[in-house]
Amino acid sequence: MVERLSLGPASVSELAGPLTMSLAAVVQHVQVLEASGLVCSEKAGRVRTCRLQPVALRAVENWVVDRRREWEARLDRLGDYLQREDDHEDHQEESTP
């Protein structure tokens, strides 16, 4: 749904079209997206049109970037540690008669 809405506003029926779930289930998903602030919708007659909220997506992007930085730093530290261990083992092998 989010991917489809990245192309522009869509009605709930348009969102439901390619999905293998009931319209009621799609409506529930839209409600969750609205509650999270990622999507807003407005009703005109019987048609509910949904659109992404770019500000909320920026917050998600920032969160993902922060997590990526944390994990990259952790993996860098692990790589450094493993390299030191490998160097230490190589040094011990060289000094063993």
Side-chain angles (χ1 to χ4, degrees):
M1 284 185 216
V2 172
E3 184 175 344
R4 166 54 188 88
L5 290 172
S6 71
L7 302 173
S11 69
V12 172
S13 297
E14 290 171 326
L15 292 173
L19 303 174
T20 57
M21 62 176 69
S22 68
L23 189 57
V26 172
V27 168
Q28 284 182 322
H29 283 285
V30 167
Q31 289 172 341
V32 169
L33 292 170
E34 283 184 298
S36 72
L38 291 174
V39 169
C40 68
S41 71
E42 53 190 40
K43 194 169 184 178
R46 297 182 61 155
V47 177
R48 178 166 297 281
T49 302
C50 304
R51 64 182 37 82
L52 285 179
Q53 293 292 88
V55 172
L57 288 175
R58 280 189 212 96
V60 170
E61 179 184 12
N62 292 338
W63 183 87
V64 169
V65 167
D66 289 345
R67 299 299 78 71
R68 178 181 290 136
R69 282 188 197 127
E70 286 176 16
W71 278 102
E72 285 174 351
R74 289 176 181 182
L75 291 172
D76 287 346
R77 287 193 306 270
L78 175 61
D80 292 345
Y81 172 78
L82 293 174
Q83 184 63 49
R84 284 191 309 273
E85 288 294 308
D86 191 39
D87 291 347
H88 179 71
E89 286 178 13
D90 289 346
H91 180 68
Q92 281 186 335
E93 288 175 6
E94 290 172 0
S95 62
T96 304

